[in-house]
Amino acid sequence: MGLLGCGTVGGGVLHLLRANAAYLEARVGAPFEVVRVLVRDPEKERVKELERSRLTTNPDDVLGDPSIDVIVEVMGGVDPARDYLGRAIASGKQIVTANKMLLALHGAELLDRARSRGVDVAFEGAVGGGIPVIRVLRDALAGDTIASLSGIINGTSNYILTRMQSDGLSFEDALKEAQQKGFAEADPTLDVDGGDAAHKLVVLSMLAFGARLDGVSVLTEGIRGVEPVDHAFAERFGFVVKQLAIAKERGDELELRVHPALVAKDAPLANISGVLNAISVEGRALGPCLLSGRGAGDLPTAVSVVADLVDVAIAKKGGTAGQSTRAIRLAERKLSPTAEVEARYYFRFTVFDRPGVLARITGALGERGVSIEQMVQQGRGSADVPVDVVILTHESKEAAVQAALATIAKSDYVAKPPRMIRVH
Amino acid sequence: MGLLGCGTVGGGVLHLLRANAAYLEARVGAPFEVVRVLVRDPEKERVKELERSRLTTNPDDVLGDPSIDVIVEVMGGVDPARDYLGRAIASGKQIVTANKMLLALHGAELLDRARSRGVDVAFEGAVGGGIPVIRVLRDALAGDTIASLSGIINGTSNYILTRMQSDGLSFEDALKEAQQKGFAEADPTLDVDGGDAAHKLVVLSMLAFGARLDGVSVLTEGIRGVEPVDHAFAERFGFVVKQLAIAKERGDELELRVHPALVAKDAPLANISGVLNAISVEGRALGPCLLSGRGAGDLPTAVSVVADLVDVAIAKKGGTAGQSTRAIRLAERKLSPTAEVEARYYFRFTVFDRPGVLARITGALGERGVSIEQMVQQGRGSADVPVDVVILTHESKEAAVQAALATIAKSDYVAKPPRMIRVH
């Protein structure tokens, strides 16, 4: 086995391989030998599990070693991981990867190459840390088709929203706290702006719907715009605000989106707190199935990587390498346009409390056919002091909602841009 | 493929095989042909998916047919299923079974036979209907060890407790409603007295801890003794009452138990309502992982059976039959005695409200070292009208608790036997 990258997940993999060596050897019928490990700086990395001579900064030492038959890639990012894995596949090595970004952008391509070369690409660690959702979609639901899935698949965002909801923290303070606790990176962009969740959603959807989705553009909204007052209003209406990733079939098309959403308080996803992740899958025969657990961290993700390693090692030994990857069949699927999303909507308008303002808001919505279910004005403002007006709509079309919001945003009674959150 | 039994699950399997035939054939590389189906009464069974000539009442027609290489057993019960599967294994047929009772009583024996004959025994359908928990324990956690698991694995009991909790129904009325809705059998013994959950717990524990547990005796208490007033007190203390199955390692020993339990309101298992099932697994590296979904019903269980069918068919075709069963390694493990269970406890004493009664209760508990955390007396009784005194203890030993309860039960101030529920 060759390891590409030796950060937290790589270190966790080495730890588990050593801690469970006897069990793993009995299970696979041969020991896992870590032949070479590609690192950035052999001085800096402190891998207690490994002699120094195994470390290298030269990828050829790993990729070109014929005694290595499995490559475990935990370096992340597209380049140079894409090139490395392409070369490994070309030379007939099995692949285990936890690289969601690479899979979201080039997953179908990698699987194609692996299929034609007869090797396996296993990627349980790419989504949901230790939650075995990839395996469930690939194997457990072989006899069913998936109607939709939705999930909380970014622990950082969920931690921030949970802290805002439970203790009234601002986004900025919750983010700072998450960074101090190691739940958020110094540059939190990929997490809080939804990019990470969008990558994972693409990987899940590729499996759930058998779709080629390399590099598709997913409707992606982050959580920066969610304010404590939105949590308070959501609570009042019986919801909590969660950052969701949603995929569903709409006829022949797929609808993929990542955004904050109002989730009914008693729904299973509403009770997933802190850095936990959860994925709810709706099978046509199975009905709803929820998987939850730790979405990140070195050990949970390493458990998934090692489970993949066991699988590909057993397949290799049994002469059935490539079979589990061949079972993943992908076809072209169109994404349905954002304009066609249908949902209930939460709007918060911060307006100057002049006579006729409510009539103008409701008028602008009504003109576009957006029908109101509930409306709340919190307190009283004045012609100069703005006040929040919050509206929950009935099921509406995104296109109509966006048009109405654009009209309202331009009006003179509006103190700041309207806030919109979709209801799940 | 030969099918033993054609009730609701069998019918669901035939339905899924037909509905997803093209997909399954592509995945496995060959079509699934249902060669023969063993039924009790060919006149009575109405299997639209199948010509009449495939049905037989003679097991030899299925077991003795050399063209059948996989046996799907969904007849349930120990006899004659045990004999049939033994014969099928002996003649080298692969086995897919959803028979939890058979696996709980003779699972290790069946796996031994299968291992030595080089065939697979797959049983995802035996526990948790459509929830892929067997696969998760067997494959996804290959790189981890399990510290404990706990679950709601009897939908009937969970439905009854949910109805009692949410609408104050009595056990009898909730059971009647469950029977009317088809969620409980005419004879509900196996469900409400915990036997079904105990069978499933043994199957889960066999995999989770690699333990030979054929026919072990599990601490099993049903839900008949839970009264609406217990739900009300539980609620007051911040709990709900759930019927749980719990397994954990205690040093070298395993602790297995099935009983009603007080579950903290915000714990994931507390929010599993109605006929849903859920299993929470605590991996040493993984941390907590929760799986939930429909625990029963024809289609969810059939999804699991078909997923198993796909697995064994692919293994058979690839020449690796028997490998997944060989990966299940079982060793003898002792069960720890019930007396050593340690938990917090909920007691409800129905007592005549005489002077000194509380002192006598607390004295009896204190003598055994059972320490009280909270005590509530609801209203006032009298020397003739009994009143409920409810106590929550600190962590205590089962042996001490049972001894104290026995003393109190014999006292003259007690109007009916004390009620005890363990806190999870």
Side-chain angles (χ1 to χ4, degrees), chain A residues 20 23-24 26-27 130 132 136 138-140 142-143 285-294 299 303 306-307 314 318 320 323 327 329, chain B residues 20 23-24 26-27 130 132 136 138-140 142-143 285-294 299 303 306-307 314 318 320 323 327 329:
Chain A
N20 300 313
Y23 169 74
L24 290 169
R27 177 136 188 182
V136 167
R138 194 190 63 193
D139 302 334
L286 181 74
C289 180
L290 180 86
L291 311 174
S292 79
R294 290 200 188 135
L299 282 181
V303 168
V306 172
I314 288 179
T320 56
Q323 209 162 56
R329 298 155 48 79
Chain B
N20 300 313
Y23 168 74
L24 290 170
R27 177 136 188 184
V136 167
R138 195 191 61 195
D139 302 335
L286 180 75
C289 179
L290 180 85
L291 310 172
S292 79
R294 292 200 187 135
L299 283 180
V303 168
V306 171
I314 288 179
T320 57
Q323 210 161 56
R329 298 155 48 81

Side-chain angles (χ1 to χ4, degrees), chain B residues 9-34:
Chain B
V9 175
V13 169
L14 293 175
H15 168 73
L16 287 180
L17 287 180
R18 174 155 304 187
N20 300 313
Y23 168 74
L24 290 170
E25 178 168 351
R27 177 136 188 184
V28 175
F32 283 105
E33 199 203 347
V34 182

Side-chain angles (χ1 to χ4, degrees), chain A residues 105-118:
Chain A
L105 298 177
H106 304 287
E109 168 202 313
L110 275 177
L111 291 173
D112 283 349
R113 289 186 187 207
R115 204 177 292 113
S116 68
R117 191 61 179 75

Side-chain angles (χ1 to χ4, degrees), chain A residues 33-347:
Chain A
E33 199 205 345
V34 182
V35 180
R36 295 310 289 272
V37 179
L38 179 70
V39 296
R40 270 190 221 157
D41 178 355
E43 306 302 325
K44 203 174 134 197
E45 324 271 339
R46 290 157 302 167
V47 186
K48 284 170 298 186
E49 323 279 338
L50 220 62
E51 350 28 321
R52 179 65 198 280
S53 64
R54 307 266 180 184
L55 305 184
T56 175
T57 56
N58 181 358
D60 297 336
D61 289 345
V62 187
L63 300 171
D65 186 330
S67 75
I68 291 175
D69 50 12
V70 184
I71 294 288
V72 176
E73 185 266 309
V74 287
M75 54 197 298
V78 171
D79 292 317
R82 181 186 179 196
D83 172 49
Y84 293 173
L85 293 193
R87 286 165 59 193
I89 290 170
S91 56
K93 298 188 197 304
Q94 312 296 310
I95 306 291
V96 174
T97 174
N99 192 329
K100 57 222 168 188
M101 186 190 278
L102 178 62
L103 288 163
L105 298 177
H106 304 287
E109 168 202 313
L110 275 177
L111 291 173
D112 283 349
R113 289 186 187 207
R115 204 177 292 113
S116 68
R117 191 61 179 75
V119 300
D120 275 321
V121 175
F123 48 93
E124 185 65 76
V127 183
I131 306 173
V133 61
I134 298 292
R135 210 168 292 265
V136 167
L137 291 174
R138 194 190 63 193
D139 302 334
L141 302 181
D144 198 9
T145 54
I146 310 291
S148 66
L149 60 87
S150 53
I152 293 170
I153 52 180
N154 182 271
T156 308
S157 298
N158 199 48
Y159 180 84
I160 291 171
L161 291 178
T162 302
R163 292 294 289 136
M164 292 175 73
Q165 174 202 335
S166 60
D167 291 80
L169 265 60
S170 69
F171 169 80
E172 289 74 18
D173 289 344
L175 171 59
K176 219 170 284 169
E177 186 185 282
Q179 286 169 324
Q180 279 157 5
K181 294 198 168 186
F183 298 152
E185 319 243 354
D187 176 3
T189 310
L190 214 48
D191 288 321
V192 302
D193 292 336
D196 173 76
H199 288 151
K200 293 168 177 167
L201 182 65
V202 168
V203 177
L204 291 176
S205 303
M206 175 172 78
L207 283 182
F209 306 108
R212 304 184 71 85
L213 296 170
D214 282 7
V216 292
S217 158
V218 173
L219 163 59
T220 305
E221 294 171 10
I223 61 168
R224 288 186 202 266
V226 180
E227 295 179 36
V229 63
D230 295 314
H231 287 278
F233 277 114
E235 162 102 37
R236 178 164 173 172
F237 292 131
F239 295 96
V240 294
V241 184
K242 290 290 183 187
Q243 173 76 342
L244 294 192
I246 299 166
K248 54 173 92 164
E249 284 199 332
R250 289 172 60 90
D252 286 344
E253 298 180 341
L254 294 180
E255 180 177 307
L256 264 56
R257 45 196 171 100
V258 170
H259 54 70
L262 262 55
V263 178
K265 260 184 216 168
D266 58 355
L269 290 179
N271 295 297
I272 304 300
S273 299
V275 292
L276 286 182
N277 280 18
I279 297 124
S280 173
V281 177
E282 181 80 27
R284 292 210 167 76
L286 181 74
C289 180
L290 180 86
L291 311 174
S292 79
R294 290 200 188 135
D298 51 349
L299 282 181
T301 305
V303 168
S304 291
V305 169
V306 172
D308 277 351
L309 252 173
V310 168
D311 270 6
V312 302
I314 288 179
K316 174 87 182 172
K317 197 152 172 288
T320 56
Q323 209 162 56
S324 77
T325 297
R326 245 192 328 270
I328 304 172
R329 298 155 48 79
L330 305 180
E332 298 292 341
R333 293 292 290 269
K334 267 178 85 170
L335 293 201
S336 68
T338 301
E340 286 178 17
V341 168
E342 281 178 76
R344 294 168 64 206
Y345 290 80
Y346 160 101
F347 303 137

Side-chain angles (χ1 to χ4, degrees), chain B residues 339-382:
Chain B
E340 286 178 16
V341 168
E342 280 179 75
R344 293 169 64 209
Y345 290 79
Y346 160 102
F347 304 136
R348 178 164 54 82
F349 302 109
T350 306
V351 297
F352 298 108
D353 199 0
R354 299 176 195 152
V357 164
L358 284 187
R360 290 179 64 189
I361 292 177
T362 55
L365 293 170
E367 253 168 47
R368 301 291 183 165
V370 177
S371 138
I372 295 172
E373 189 209 292
Q374 287 186 60
M375 179 160 64
V376 172
Q377 175 176 329
Q378 187 84 306
R380 300 246 16 192
S382 72

